[in-house]
Amino acid sequence: NECMNVKKFADLYSNKYGSARESLPGKGVVVPEIMTDYCTDNVIVMEWITGSKLTSIGENRDGEGLTPDPDKKSNDLKERKENLALVEQALYITLSQLLEHGTMHADPHGGNLLKVRDTRKGDSVKHPKSTLAYLDFGLLATIPENVRDGLVCAVSQLVFAKDVEAVASLFGELDLMPQEILNDPCERAALTQALTKTMEEVLVYPEGEDILTPTNRASENTNIPTLKFDKLLDGLVRLVPRFKFQLPPYFINNARALGTLEGTARSLDPNFNAFALMYPYALNHILQNPTNSPVVAGTLQTMVRNSETGKIDREKIRRLLRDSALYTGYSKRRVLKDILKTKGGKDLAKEIVRQSASTYAARIKGLWQRRSGGVSNFLRL
């Protein structure tokens, strides 16, 4: 089973031949090769990977620390930044596993992630770059496509719109709750109330803001809260007896994996926020909808429309583009260009044009009627 897991993971993320490696920071990761000729039913033999833990600072320089380092403080800071970049790479790869491909290494603790020298062709021998290696593939989770789509929708609704009711309605897609509960208006209202309380406990916003603060501030960027992954599962477990809540094993593994990686990152940078990586990732997935999911398409429509009139809200679209550009580092022009390549983006653009044309026509008609009324009154005189 573990041999199959290694092959499945490597086929996607190996920096040598993984199909998804070009879309990842670092162009993939090191995955140990299985020595099939030496494996038996009870023994797995794989390539030895030499590296260091991401939390180890200054322990592997100058002959394992035997030689004094005259620039220790400066080198420690440099190594801390380098290790943090590798943890961010691990988080991006975890998000790719969780939200795109559905094949996820579910146990990325400090002993299973190593910093290794990148020996691919073209790297400098004198100053070799470091890259990330994964070990131990005994626990590999598979996430269904509907759950992946539900997760990106939930993250986007939670951060962009603070719409807890919309998140609650996605619990069916996330395989967390029987649909009959969500179809009952009273139960759904009670679920929204309970989930709001949970979000108040697990989301930490900047001072003066919380989950109940309105988000219709078009001139401001969206504040991304810190998610307490360790308290998220506890909060969700409290919903089990009241709402027939169910936590699939892969959901628990996903939350633990993200929490573990964030814990590793915070040991290097106390201000690190994993949710700040998840939001733009989810937002771009929502905007591009690569799976053509009706749930994702519906979520985008909800996010960009005025809740009272049902019409497209230009200020929301501007904030959506601004957030995507700000948190990904891409220009708004590039973000818009990428969106317009998708079917959902094209449909949205057509509707904006139709809505604008309708508004313009109504203004012209009103102006003409006012002018016509003035002429008629003059003729009656």
Side-chain angles (χ1 to χ4, degrees):
N1 182 52
E2 186 167 353
C3 288
M4 294 296 294
N5 288 347
V6 174
K7 183 179 185 305
K8 194 174 183 179
F9 190 87
D11 285 345
L12 283 170
Y13 306 112
S14 168
N15 61 4
K16 295 179 180 178
Y17 55 84
S19 60
R21 70 186 188 279
E22 292 299 327
S23 64
L24 300 172
K27 305 297 182 183
V29 298
V30 174
V31 182
E33 181 183 349
I34 298 294
M35 308 299 182
T36 53
D37 291 343
Y38 300 98
C39 294
T40 69
D41 292 339
N42 299 314
V43 177
I44 298 174
V45 180
M46 63 179 68
E47 175 187 8
W48 178 265
I49 303 294
T50 300
S52 60
K53 292 183 179 181
L54 296 175
T55 53
S56 300
I57 305 296
E59 296 179 10
N60 299 283
R61 295 194 303 265
D62 300 319
E64 300 295 332
L66 297 177
T67 304
D69 183 358
D71 300 316
K72 184 178 187 308
K73 187 175 181 179
S74 174
N75 287 333
D76 281 359
L77 180 61
K78 182 179 178 181
E79 187 174 6
R80 189 177 295 276
K81 289 181 178 179
E82 183 180 57
N83 288 10
L84 183 60
L86 290 176
V87 177
E88 288 186 8
Q89 181 184 348
L91 273 162
Y92 272 113
I93 292 173
T94 298
L95 292 175
S96 175
Q97 297 168 46
L98 177 60
L99 303 178
E100 284 188 64
H101 301 286
T103 298
M104 181 173 177
H105 189 297
D107 194 22
H109 62 72
N112 289 340
L113 296 175
L114 294 180
K115 179 174 75 172
V116 300
R117 290 189 174 187
D118 194 339
T119 57
R120 284 174 291 181
K121 186 177 180 180
D123 288 324
S124 168
V125 176
K126 186 176 180 181
H127 300 290
K129 295 180 181 179
S130 294
T131 190
L132 191 66
Y134 275 75
L135 306 176
D136 188 357
F137 297 85
L139 193 58
L140 205 67
T142 300
I143 301 95
E145 185 176 284
N146 65 298
V147 174
R148 303 200 301 268
D149 289 334
L151 281 170
V152 298
C153 292
V155 171
S156 299
Q157 288 280 30
L158 196 59
V159 178
F160 183 80
K162 294 184 180 178
D163 192 340
V164 179
E165 184 177 1
V167 174
S169 69
L170 290 165
F171 275 20
E173 291 296 324
L174 293 171
D175 291 341
L176 296 177
M177 191 166 291
Q179 195 62 41
E180 70 246 24
I181 298 291
L182 299 174
N183 292 338
D184 184 324
C186 293
E187 288 294 284
R188 185 162 165 174
L191 172 62
T192 300
Q193 184 178 4
L195 192 59
T196 299
K197 183 177 180 181
T198 298
M199 291 300 108
E200 288 178 324
E201 296 173 353
V202 302
L203 294 176
V204 180
Y205 285 89
E207 188 174 354
E209 183 177 353
D210 58 31
I211 190 66
L212 300 176
T213 307
T215 59
N216 57 352
R217 301 160 300 170
S219 62
E220 299 180 21
N221 298 317
T222 302
N223 288 326
I224 302 177
T226 300
L227 174 61
K228 298 179 180 178
F229 287 99
D230 56 337
K231 292 188 177 181
L232 177 61
L233 286 177
D234 292 338
L236 294 179
V237 165
R238 292 203 302 268
L239 303 178
V240 171
R242 172 65 177 80
F243 299 103
K244 299 181 181 178
F245 199 80
Q246 52 200 21
L247 283 173
Y250 59 76
F251 193 94
I252 297 173
N253 291 335
N254 298 343
R256 285 177 176 168
L258 289 169
T260 298
L261 286 171
E262 184 174 58
T264 302
R266 286 190 174 177
S267 70
L268 301 168
D269 177 5
N271 297 317
F272 186 84
N273 183 3
F275 216 37
L277 294 181
M278 290 185 69
Y279 175 56
Y281 204 106
L283 205 58
N284 285 337
H285 193 101
I286 287 280
L287 291 169
Q288 297 189 26
N289 193 6
T291 61
N292 292 317
S293 163
V295 175
V296 172
T299 297
L300 177 59
Q301 290 291 329
T302 302
M303 290 170 64
V304 300
R305 290 183 184 276
N306 184 293
S307 58
E308 296 179 358
T309 65
K311 292 183 178 181
I312 292 177
D313 188 327
R314 290 191 177 191
E315 292 302 332
K316 285 187 175 182
I317 289 180
R318 289 191 184 99
R319 185 159 67 92
L320 203 62
L321 290 174
R322 190 166 60 239
D323 281 359
S324 186
L326 177 66
Y327 293 115
T328 60
Y330 298 144
S331 68
K332 284 186 281 188
R333 184 183 295 273
R334 174 176 171 177
V335 171
L336 184 59
K337 185 178 179 180
D338 288 343
I339 293 169
L340 291 176
K341 291 178 182 178
T342 67
K343 182 180 183 301
K346 291 175 183 176
D347 291 343
L348 193 60
K350 289 176 183 177
E351 187 164 357
I352 292 172
V353 171
R354 284 196 297 267
Q355 186 172 301
S356 298
S358 176
T359 301
Y360 182 72
R363 289 177 180 175
I364 294 296
K365 183 178 180 181
L367 181 62
W368 172 252
Q369 287 175 341
R370 286 194 296 273
R371 288 184 176 179
S372 298
V375 171
S376 298
N377 290 334
F378 174 78
L379 292 176
R380 277 199 290 270
L381 291 174

